[in-house]
Amino acid sequence: MKQAATMRRSLPTIAVKPAAYRLLRYLPMPLIAILIGLVAGLAVWGVLDQVQSRAVERIFNKELTARLDLRSRESLLRFDQYMNNYAATARLLANHRRLAQYLEPLFWFPEENVEPVVYEQFRPFWLPDFFERNALLAPSHVLLMDTRGQVREVYQAGTSPLPAELLAEARNWVDAGDDVHTVLARAGDQPVLVVSDRVEDAGGYGMGHLAVVVPIDADFLAASEGSVSADSSAVALVDSDEQRILATNEPQQLIPGTLLEQWSEEFVVTSQSLPEYEGSNWNMLFATFIPHSSVEKMTQRVVEFERNQRLIAALVFIAVFTLVIYLVSARLNRVLTRMTRFSQRALDIEQPNFKRGGNQLLLLEDWIQHFTNLVLKAREEMNRRHAHEMRETEALKAAIMEASLDAIVTLNRAGLIIDYNPMAEAMLGLTAADAKNGDFARRFLDADEHAAFRDMLSDSGRRQHGGHRRPHARGELWAKRADSSRFPVEMSIVPIDIDDERVYTLYIHDATQRKAAEREIKSLARFASESPNPILRVNAEGLIVYANAASRALTDAWGTGPGRLLPVDWTQEVHAALDEGQNREREDDQGEQVYSLLFVPISDLGYVNIYARDTTAVRRAEQESRQHQSELVHVCRLSTMGEVATGMAHELNQPLSAIVNYAKGASRRLQGGMLDTEPLVEAMRQISAQAQRAGEIIRRLRALVGKQAPVRSVVDLNYMVREVCGFLEFETGKLALRIELDLAEGEIPVNVDLVQIEQVLLNLVRNALDALEDKPAEERHLAIFTLVRGAEAVVGVADNGPGIAAERMAHLFDPFYTTKETGMGMGLAISQTIIDDHGGEIRAESEPGRGTVFHVHLPLAAEALAAEPQAPEEAAPPMAAGAGR
């Protein structure tokens, strides 16, 4: 009651407060909150707009400056890359096969001074069109220079000749090394690009240099920049000393010959030093021009865009801030209203009817909690996706490492191995587990290569001229495997910075095959000049454009030489070969010498290669072939005699020993006075018989080694078989082997050379004996059979040796093919020649593990054919055969 009274007493005091307070007192609290939020938000935005506009402008100007600098560097890089494209194309031209073929027959005398040959608006044969193919501007001139730097030939694309000052400085453009030489030269006020490289003929002989001259004008600069500029920017080459524009890609906008300072008010100019080109006689800068208007417009657009974005953000912020205050104030207003109503009820004031609402603060709290849960869930989802992407990246890296055809090794800064793919294991011969944490250079590089490897590591990632890092370092080194074997490799080192740690990835390619291929290509390039046979190249007009040293005798006989025309008859052969498009072979008989000529047309290039071969010795050899064949058979028989000499000596020793024993016995009987004639007569008879036996052995030996002209006569084939078996009695005795004879009944007459056919049979039987040496004595079987089949006689030699493998059967009768450790491989080749000369056939059948059978077919003599025909006999089945023929 006291409080109510106090309140009643205080009511009159409210009426005396200012009118503004009374106005606020009657305004709803949410409306007051809205007004306060709007005023506060607009005030904050007004202050921040001024501060942030200036800050954004400073940041953008700084970023714009960096971007302009980056753009200028990119323009310079494109210009440099464009010139490097010319260097690569010049190397292709210098190493093209057309140029090498063109230079092969040429010889430039360095001491002579000649006027260069000029191809005006006509592309020569040695210059293919690589520039248009590589999207490059065509050069104005292409020069061929000798080793002294003197210009020999000039290709002129247009009507303007090569400036005299450039021609005078041509020798300064070339380099003694093998690398492409790039020069920025000066032709009056016009800068030109000169790219030169060493040229060689088809034989690998250095002939001089090829130089490509390209004017650096508006077209050149526009082509180097391409279509990357969309803001009216321009580039230009500037004289560093005079600060004068030499060439630009926008000559209508930037006038060549004007000074840089004249354009500073219209453009933002960024100039940079060009990369150093050895031999350049002009110090130039590369400048990038960007209009001030485009920069200012861009700045204004960014500032306006940023201001609009801030305005939108401010409006959203004010709306959200006002709404939050409204909701809070509405909640507080309801609480205060309830408290007021409760006070009024406590004071017996009538209770008003009002709507009940939800607790907005609690709803806001629930929403914030739900939002927090969504944020946490989103973070977990992002973590899961990140982990999945990391696993995919690792899997992709592992697949690349596994599938790479080159060895990939990762080193830390100290040069220790931290990763190692399977190809590196195969190439270096060491597993990843054993290789990790080891010093790569010490374990897998030669000691002489350590310094070069360290230089490559230091060069990779080093900043070049212009502030750019080198992406990688490349080189060729000699590596060694775990077994210390050396092999050449191509190595590329790529530096990778991970946080503050640097690692190096090594890509290693085995260059063994490439090195071998390079050696092969060089040897092939020298093939023609090193050939002992004459080789000539003739064009469609019959002009000799190339002739190797071996063709000197042939061209002298024709009365011509390199650079001169062929005789008329041979020129007609050249025309015929080109017209037919087929090889033509002719013979040139010059009396003392005979040449075989092969005309090979190269239709697409319009010339003919003439390959000559001196066949004089071949002609003489053909005349002496029969004599040589007879001597070869005799030598072969002498070789066989050497092999059977021990056996023949043993056979001869037996009758001689018997003769000595019978003679000593008879002498003792006579000295002892024993005059009984019967024992003496028997001794004399035995001496006579043994003497005849010794004489028969000597006769056989003389028949074996005697040299005589080939004489054919009718001989019994069975007799020759028995004769051969008699030659080999000693060898068969050593092997505890008896030759099984299955000879046809009666005689088998054949018209042959007895000595040669015995030689064939002797070779076949000896081969069979060699095949049986490794078998146990009781398992050795050797059989010889003869039979008559139709109009031919057949003799077969069968053994049960190890047999002949199928892959060796195809080469069995090739000269010098043998499986014996001491054999020459000529026995079967000579045997086949002898049988072919007699009109017969020799063949072999073999089954590995079971044996081999050799069949010799000879035509029957006329006497046998005239007699009553005999029933044909089947060939004896082959016994398991031996190998090692």
Side-chain angles (χ1 to χ4, degrees), residues 75-76 78-80 82-84 86 137-141 163 166 182-195 212-225 235-239 244-251 256-257 274-275 277 280-287:
S75 298
L76 178 58
R78 286 192 293 270
F79 177 78
D80 187 54
Y82 194 70
M83 292 197 292
N84 289 337
Y86 275 100
L137 294 177
S140 61
H141 300 81
L166 290 181
T182 305
V183 179
L184 287 177
R186 180 172 188 170
D189 290 335
Q190 174 69 45
V192 295
L193 172 66
V194 182
V195 183
V212 176
V213 180
V214 186
I216 301 179
D217 51 12
D219 294 336
F220 184 95
L221 292 174
S224 69
E225 292 302 305
V235 296
L237 286 183
V238 178
D239 189 316
R244 181 170 49 87
I245 297 176
L246 302 175
T248 174
N249 64 335
E250 296 290 343
L274 287 170
Y277 294 98
S280 298
N281 58 2
W282 206 350
N283 186 14
M284 289 180 282
L285 299 175
F286 186 85

Side-chain angles (χ1 to χ4, degrees), residues 493-635:
I493 303 178
V494 179
I496 302 175
D497 293 326
I498 303 176
D499 296 333
D500 295 334
E501 181 67 23
R502 168 167 289 189
V503 296
Y504 300 93
T505 300
L506 279 55
Y507 298 89
I508 306 172
H509 178 71
D510 190 341
T512 304
Q513 294 183 355
R514 182 181 65 80
K515 293 288 187 182
E518 289 177 355
R519 291 194 297 269
E520 183 66 19
I521 290 172
K522 290 181 179 179
S523 65
L524 289 176
R526 296 194 298 267
F527 175 76
S529 60
E530 295 175 350
S531 174
N533 294 326
I535 299 177
L536 298 90
R537 175 167 293 174
V538 183
N539 63 15
E541 289 74 25
L543 180 69
I544 301 175
V545 298
Y546 172 75
N548 67 348
S551 62
R552 180 67 178 273
L554 180 60
T555 54
D556 289 346
W558 287 347
T560 183
R564 299 166 62 187
L565 293 174
L566 283 175
V568 177
D569 294 341
W570 299 119
T571 302
Q572 294 176 354
E573 292 292 336
V574 170
H575 294 164
L578 287 173
D579 294 340
E580 297 173 1
Q582 296 180 352
N583 297 347
R584 296 173 63 89
E585 190 169 1
R586 295 293 182 267
E587 189 171 82
D588 183 17
D589 190 351
Q590 299 177 359
E592 295 182 357
Q593 286 184 310
V594 180
Y595 288 95
S596 175
L597 305 178
L598 180 63
F599 293 77
V600 180
I602 312 298
S603 302
D604 55 341
L605 298 179
Y607 60 79
V608 173
N609 290 337
I610 302 178
Y611 301 96
R613 182 167 56 92
D614 189 348
T615 58
T616 307
V618 175
R619 296 300 185 191
R620 294 174 181 172
E622 290 177 353
Q623 298 173 358
E624 300 173 358
S625 61
R626 290 188 178 276
Q627 178 181 354
H628 290 170
Q629 179 178 340
S630 176
E631 293 177 355
L632 183 60
V633 172
H634 175 64
V635 170

Side-chain angles (χ1 to χ4, degrees), residues 433-454:
D434 296 333
K436 285 185 177 179
N437 298 322
D439 190 313
F440 176 80
R442 183 175 301 173
R443 181 167 294 182
F444 297 118
L445 293 179
D446 276 356
D448 297 339
E449 304 284 9
H450 289 180
F453 178 70
R454 288 193 297 269

Side-chain angles (χ1 to χ4, degrees), residues 126-127 131 139-144 153-156 210-213:
W126 48 263
L127 183 62
F131 296 95
S140 61
H141 300 81
V142 180
L143 290 71
L144 277 180
E153 295 188 12
V154 179
Y155 162 65
Q156 180 177 310
L210 178 140
V212 176
V213 180

Side-chain angles (χ1 to χ4, degrees), residues 176-177 218 254 335 396 409 411 430 444 462 470 496 538 561 685 708 721 753 801 841:
L254 293 172
V335 172
L396 180 60
V409 181
L411 310 181
L430 198 64
F444 297 118
R462 177 181 294 175
R470 295 185 58 182
I496 302 175
V538 183
R685 187 180 66 79
Q708 59 186 20
V721 171
D753 186 301
E841 179 188 5

Side-chain angles (χ1 to χ4, degrees), residues 426-479:
M427 181 184 296
L428 302 176
L430 198 64
T431 63
D434 296 333
K436 285 185 177 179
N437 298 322
D439 190 313
F440 176 80
R442 183 175 301 173
R443 181 167 294 182
F444 297 118
L445 293 179
D446 276 356
D448 297 339
E449 304 284 9
H450 289 180
F453 178 70
R454 288 193 297 269
D455 292 341
M456 290 176 63
L457 285 179
S458 60
D459 287 344
S460 62
R462 177 181 294 175
R463 293 192 178 276
Q464 296 177 315
H465 185 74
H468 298 284
R469 289 185 180 273
R470 295 185 58 182
H472 59 270
R474 289 183 178 177
E476 294 187 1
L477 302 173
W478 279 94

